[in-house]
Amino acid sequence: MSLNPFYLAHVADSLDNLWSDFEEDILKDLAKRIKHSDGSLSSTAKWRYTKLRELGASEKYIQSQIAKYLKRTDKEINRIFEDAIISSLANDDEIFRQAYEQGIIAKSGYDIHDYSNLINKGVFDTYHEIRNFTKSFYASASNTFANALDMAYLQVSSGVMSETEACKYAIENLAKNGIVTTTSKSGRLEHADVIVSRAVRTGVNITSGKVMWGILDDLDCDLVETTSHMGARPTHALWQGQVFSRSGKSKRYPDFRKSTGYGTGEGICGWNCRHSFYPYFEGLSTVSARRYSMQENERIYNLTQKQRYNERMIRKWKREQVVLDAGGLDSSLATRKVKGWKKINDDLIKSNSDVLKHDYFRESIIKTNSIKNKGNVLLSIKNEFIKNSTPGLGKITFDNNFDFAKNNHEIEISEWLFSVFGGNIHHKVESKIVGVKTPDIDWNNEPWEIKRPTTLNAVDDRLRKAIKQIDGTYGGVILDLHVEDEFEKIKEKVESRLRFHNALNLTVILKKDSLVLDIVKMKKHP
């Protein structure tokens, strides 16, 4: 089925993290400049010279960072759109083929190049929106810095504070507020990562919806089913997981546009929406999207809103911690706040574990730069891996005399693998020959080991044993994480262990609950 809600929720994660890094880089630079202005606030002439010099240098730095991050964003947007459209269409090819074979539609094929203009426009519009945002951000960052310097000077010249106190106050305010700007008519101030990720998520969904609509027109398919997910916004919960008529002429199914608001910002495939739609053929299709009661959905919606708030507070205090460190100030309060909000979020999740899971992407300010050292680099291959997967296609088989009771965890993970990635998964019986090791599973004819680390140190230990188990030459390891440490630290452990073994052909899937946190592989540094 088209783009599922989980995919849409995380389609912009890489850019979310990238632009979080961007704001953090700017804030650290500004904090350092404010710190260095100490000693020039007592004299008006000296102050004016310092302000002009630092303001010019900071604006030059901001411009260079914008250019750098836009360049990386341009490549990433093209990749995201390509992956999303391909994934969307690949999910529906089989139902089109079956409908054609049963004579429901006259043809099953389409040429994706016929829709290249729609795709290119979606990419262009999204990138253009982000470029426009950077203009607002540049003005906001420059004003933030200029106002901080002016306030520091006034506090010193009026005798309210010493130079050191004024600089400290300015850096603390910078850390607290960050740099916010607006791109919406509502005038709501938001951080860079929020604006960019929403623009990409919305752009991808709008574009995939337009492409799907064109293909459905081309194949003469009138009925569509909408996806569904827990905790949908109340207005979307009314129509999720149902079948509609695109033409509005069906006597059995309601009008798609009128019911879902398709084509408007508030409707399906609109602003920050995680719903999409896919073909439905009477007599062939079965309603696959789960329906949630309005009461159940409202409960889940309210809980997820609380979780999102907690995650924003975790990121806010992490940002403050980084900026205070850059300005040479005490960041111990920010560190305690991070731990406090993490506990609040943990308690919320534990008391509602039936519906809530940790979202480590939203909690962390994750560095997107590759980890480099001694000629090798750890790269994320998550999107490429997902792109080449076939969820639900293939089969799970077992060796004779396989001990199902003893290997319950391995079976659970293989069923998860099958639902998320698909493929042929074969469970192996442990070798009884001394010195001969067998992997837990063969997945698409490659050996894979399944491990369940519960501490940060166990991540390294279980990965070491897994590499030994499969000889580390090819295949992979699934780390089913039950670890509460920050994801950055977990990846550092993985990177260190893979480099130690020079495991260039090994793939590591990092999962927590049902969420794919990342899929990584060592590559030789070019």
Side-chain angles (χ1 to χ4, degrees):
M1 62 179 179
S2 205
L3 296 176
N4 67 55
F6 177 84
Y7 181 94
L8 284 169
H10 294 280
V11 70
D13 281 339
S14 57
L15 287 174
D16 188 0
N17 294 323
L18 180 69
W19 284 86
S20 180
D21 289 351
F22 165 74
E23 183 182 352
E24 183 184 313
D25 287 345
I26 303 298
L27 288 170
K28 288 192 295 184
D29 180 72
L30 299 185
K32 291 174 183 176
R33 294 185 189 282
I34 293 173
K35 178 184 177 183
H36 292 154
S37 68
D38 188 2
S40 63
L41 302 177
S42 55
S43 164
T44 302
K46 201 173 182 181
W47 158 243
R48 286 175 177 170
Y49 170 76
T50 301
K51 179 183 176 182
L52 287 173
R53 182 192 65 199
E54 292 298 334
L55 191 57
S58 70
E59 289 179 344
K60 185 176 181 181
Y61 179 77
I62 294 168
Q63 287 175 335
S64 70
Q65 291 301 94
I66 287 175
K68 171 180 148 184
Y69 279 84
L70 278 177
K71 184 176 180 181
R72 294 171 64 180
T73 299
D74 187 21
K75 293 180 180 178
E76 187 67 4
I77 287 176
N78 277 283
R79 184 197 60 74
I80 288 173
F81 269 74
E82 180 182 352
D83 288 352
I85 300 301
I86 290 174
S87 298
S88 171
L89 299 180
N91 289 336
D92 298 312
D93 281 344
E94 179 62 19
I95 191 69
F96 284 137
R97 183 188 63 79
Q98 292 177 15
Y100 170 71
E101 290 178 351
Q102 294 190 24
I104 299 174
I105 56 178
K107 61 178 182 178
S108 64
Y110 54 85
D111 188 347
I112 189 59
H113 294 98
D114 293 342
Y115 308 96
S116 59
N117 287 338
L118 279 176
I119 299 171
N120 291 336
K121 187 178 186 306
V123 171
F124 175 82
D125 288 347
T126 302
Y127 185 66
H128 185 66
E129 182 177 345
I130 293 173
R131 284 190 69 89
N132 284 341
F133 141 71
T134 60
K135 296 175 184 177
S136 300
F137 184 92
Y138 172 75
S140 297
S142 298
N143 290 336
T144 297
F145 184 48
N147 291 339
L149 294 177
D150 287 342
M151 179 59 70
Y153 172 68
L154 288 172
Q155 288 167 333
V156 173
S157 61
S158 62
V160 176
M161 293 183 181
S162 69
E163 291 186 59
T164 301
E165 289 172 335
C167 288
K168 178 175 179 291
Y169 180 79
I171 293 171
E172 287 174 342
N173 272 319
L174 187 69
K176 179 181 179 180
N177 299 318
I179 303 170
V180 290
T181 188
T182 180
T183 58
S184 63
K185 294 180 180 179
S186 68
R188 183 172 58 202
L189 296 173
E190 295 173 311
H191 290 279
D193 53 348
V194 175
I195 293 172
V196 171
S197 61
R198 183 179 58 236
V200 173
R201 187 179 300 110
T202 302
V204 163
N205 208 4
I206 287 175
T207 304
S208 64
K210 287 180 177 179
V211 172
M212 176 58 70
W213 191 275
I215 291 173
L216 293 174
D217 278 346
D218 193 32
L219 300 183
D220 197 23
C221 174
D222 181 49
L223 301 181
V224 292
E225 181 183 349
T226 56
T227 59
S228 68
H229 64 85
M230 295 188 298
R233 67 186 81 167
T235 53
H236 289 202
L238 294 170
W239 46 254
Q240 68 173 356
Q242 300 179 48
V243 178
F244 297 92
S245 166
R246 293 192 305 127
S247 67
K249 297 177 180 179
S250 172
K251 295 181 180 180
R252 182 176 179 183
Y253 301 105
D255 185 287
F256 179 64
R257 287 184 182 274
K258 290 180 180 178
S259 301
T260 66
Y262 179 67
T264 68
E266 297 88 352
I268 189 171
C269 299
W271 300 316
N272 221 25
C273 178
R274 290 166 52 192
H275 291 99
S276 58
F277 58 93
Y278 49 95
Y280 183 89
F281 297 101
E282 283 190 299
L284 175 62
S285 301
T286 56
V287 176
S288 56
R290 179 182 168 184
R291 296 292 303 278
Y292 303 93
S293 70
M294 293 301 293
Q295 184 178 7
E296 177 187 20
N297 186 79
E298 184 178 5
R299 170 188 169 242
I300 296 169
Y301 176 78
N302 290 332
L303 286 172
T304 53
Q305 290 302 300
K306 289 181 181 178
Q307 183 180 0
R308 293 292 89 84
Y309 176 76
N310 294 342
E311 290 161 353
R312 287 196 299 273
M313 295 305 292
I314 292 170
R315 295 191 74 159
K316 164 185 159 55
W317 285 105
K318 282 187 175 183
R319 186 179 287 114
E320 286 201 32
Q321 182 182 356
V322 167
V323 178
L324 290 171
D325 286 340
L329 302 182
D330 179 17
S331 62
S332 57
L333 174 62
T335 302
R336 292 195 299 272
K337 288 289 187 178
V338 171
K339 291 180 180 178
W341 278 104
K342 280 188 173 182
K343 186 179 186 309
I344 291 172
N345 202 42
D346 287 343
D347 291 344
L348 177 70
I349 292 170
K350 287 176 183 177
S351 60
N352 299 279
S353 58
D354 58 324
V355 294
L356 296 183
K357 305 293 181 185
H358 274 288
D359 192 335
Y360 293 93
F361 284 110
R362 285 193 167 100
E363 292 179 17
S364 301
I365 300 177
I366 301 174
K367 290 296 182 183
T368 55
N369 295 333
S370 301
I371 303 171
K372 300 177 182 178
N373 190 17
K374 297 182 180 179
N376 292 335
V377 58
L378 185 70
L379 294 179
S380 171
I381 60 169
K382 177 181 173 182
N383 292 304
E384 175 188 347
F385 201 93
I386 292 174
K387 175 182 174 181
N388 294 322
S389 298
T390 55
L393 296 180
K395 58 184 177 180
I396 300 176
T397 56
F398 302 86
D399 271 351
N400 292 329
N401 301 318
F402 182 80
D403 191 335
F404 288 86
K406 183 180 176 181
N407 296 285
N408 184 60
H409 178 246
E410 285 78 4
I411 295 171
E412 177 186 320
I413 296 300
S414 72
E415 290 175 345
W416 173 82
L417 281 174
F418 185 76
S419 66
V420 175
F421 302 110
N424 294 314
I425 303 171
H426 182 76
H427 285 263
K428 308 281 288 184
V429 170
E430 186 177 347
S431 173
K432 297 181 180 180
I433 303 174
V434 177
V436 176
K437 303 291 185 181
T438 54
D440 287 323
I441 59 173
D442 279 340
W443 185 17
N444 293 329
N445 298 315
E446 290 189 350
W448 283 74
E449 191 70 10
I450 300 168
K451 296 297 181 184
R452 188 177 181 268
T454 56
T455 66
L456 185 61
N457 287 333
V459 171
D460 178 70
D461 181 66
R462 300 298 183 275
L463 186 54
R464 175 183 61 81
K465 291 179 179 178
I467 292 173
K468 184 178 180 181
Q469 191 81 7
I470 60 176
D471 196 24
T473 52
Y474 69 109
V477 180
I478 298 108
L479 292 180
D480 181 23
L481 299 169
H482 291 256
V483 183
E484 295 305 320
D485 293 84
E486 293 182 4
F487 189 49
E488 301 98 302
K489 294 180 180 179
I490 295 172
K491 286 187 71 171
E492 286 174 4
K493 287 286 186 183
V494 172
E495 181 265 344
S496 178
R497 176 53 58 185
L498 292 179
R499 180 180 295 116
F500 179 83
H501 291 278
N502 196 31
L504 294 175
N505 296 314
L506 202 68
T507 301
V508 179
I509 295 177
L510 298 156
K511 72 176 287 288
K512 178 105 176 177
D513 301 315
S514 60
L515 177 66
V516 182
L517 298 181
D518 207 349
I519 304 174
V520 297
K521 195 167 187 175
M522 292 292 293
K523 295 286 183 71
K524 288 186 178 180
H525 190 273

